Amino acid sequence: GESVGLHLPTLSVQEGDNSIINCAYSNSASDYFIWYKQESGKGPQFIIDIRSNMDKRQGQRVTVLLNKTVKHLSLQIAATQPGDSAVYFCAESVAGRDDKIIFGKGTRLHILP
Amino acid sequence: SQTIHQWPATLVQPVGSPLSLECTVEGTSNPNLYWYRQAAGRGLQLLFYSVGIGQISSEVPQNLSASRPQDRQFILSSKKLLLSDSGFYLCAWSEQPGTEAFFGQGTRLTVV
């Protein structure tokens, strides 16, 4: 669910290592999930999405895992690069119902040289 | 291809003044449209969404209102701004329910 009032947690990762960003969602009826990347002063950019009939989806250097049992979503970034520094948000929606896209609290990814 | 335009990029307004932020989408028809607000270092809060002309759903009670006078135009307004209205306002669109939303570049509003 929304945690818009909380300060963003930070994840620090060494350049070249893999990053894992986690997200808990609240609505068990949600069936569509999206990961966004937001760089400073810009709007969020789509990274990857997954529907509830899947538990894993891979893109270029990114993998999203979905565990519906515990309502948990994760984003894995392989071989993290300096350009990956940003805030990452998960978002959920209930497709075909009320059309809302609700964002999670976000995680700031900091890349160490 | 579809594009979304949001303006202005930055805005400084005095307390009590009106507000009008405009968002337009090109290259698609009947999009779902959204207004989000983001406080500094915080998450995105959904303010309004619209599934069609004249159809506005409000998520939180507040000092703001939204209108959709045309299919691809979404406007965020206030009659009298409060200090607490300061933030980063983002417009977004999606093609249909259950698809990703695409964001504009945002408007940073500072109420002084």
Side-chain angles (χ1 to χ4, degrees):
Chain A
E2 293 187 68
S3 299
V4 295
L6 301 178
H7 281 283
L8 302 176
T10 298
L11 174 67
S12 295
V13 175
Q14 204 76 37
E15 183 179 348
D17 287 353
N18 297 335
S19 302
I20 300 176
I21 301 170
N22 296 303
C23 176
Y25 64 94
S26 58
N27 187 356
S28 56
S30 292
D31 53 9
Y32 178 63
F33 305 89
I34 317 161
W35 278 102
Y36 285 91
K37 173 185 180 183
Q38 186 180 27
E39 296 175 323
S40 180
K42 297 183 178 180
Q45 288 181 291
F46 170 86
I47 302 174
I48 192 168
D49 59 1
I50 189 168
R51 301 194 183 278
S52 58
N53 60 351
M54 304 172 68
D55 53 20
K56 180 179 180 179
R57 190 164 187 226
Q58 288 184 293
Q60 186 177 14
R61 276 203 311 122
V62 294
T63 300
V64 55
L65 299 178
L66 174 63
N67 185 331
K68 294 181 287 293
T69 303
V70 295
K71 292 188 286 188
H72 182 267
L73 198 64
S74 69
L75 177 71
Q76 301 178 6
I77 304 174
T80 310
Q81 303 169 358
D84 295 327
S85 288
V87 176
Y88 290 81
F89 292 97
C90 66
E92 58 182 300
S93 76
V94 183
R97 266 215 235 162
D98 56 18
D99 303 307
K100 294 188 292 187
I101 300 175
I102 302 298
F103 279 73
K105 64 182 178 180
T107 297
R108 187 179 303 279
L109 180 62
H110 178 59
I111 310 303
L112 302 170
Chain B
S1 64
Q2 301 90 353
T3 56
I4 179 169
H5 302 280
Q6 187 181 343
W7 67 93
T10 59
L11 190 60
V12 180
Q13 290 285 101
V15 169
S17 64
L19 173 73
S20 181
L21 300 181
E22 189 163 342
C23 172
T24 59
V25 181
E26 295 177 359
T28 187
S29 60
N30 198 32
N32 289 346
L33 296 172
Y34 308 86
W35 278 111
Y36 290 86
R37 176 170 58 200
Q38 186 175 31
R42 302 287 202 273
L44 281 80
Q45 180 183 35
L46 179 62
L47 302 176
F48 301 95
Y49 67 98
S50 171
V51 299
I53 296 174
Q55 301 179 62
I56 309 295
S57 297
S58 175
E59 281 300 288
V60 293
Q62 60 208 313
N63 186 41
L64 301 168
S65 62
S67 61
R68 185 170 177 172
Q70 299 180 46
D71 181 44
R72 291 168 290 172
Q73 184 185 29
F74 205 24
I75 298 172
L76 183 69
S77 304
S78 173
K79 291 182 180 178
K80 288 186 178 181
L81 285 168
L82 306 171
L83 287 173
S84 58
D85 291 325
S86 294
F88 191 46
Y89 288 84
L90 289 153
C91 180
W93 74 275
S94 67
E95 197 167 73
Q96 57 187 345
T99 63
E100 69 270 27
F102 298 93
F103 284 81
Q105 288 302 297
T107 296
R108 187 162 302 283
L109 172 66
T110 304
V111 182
V112 295

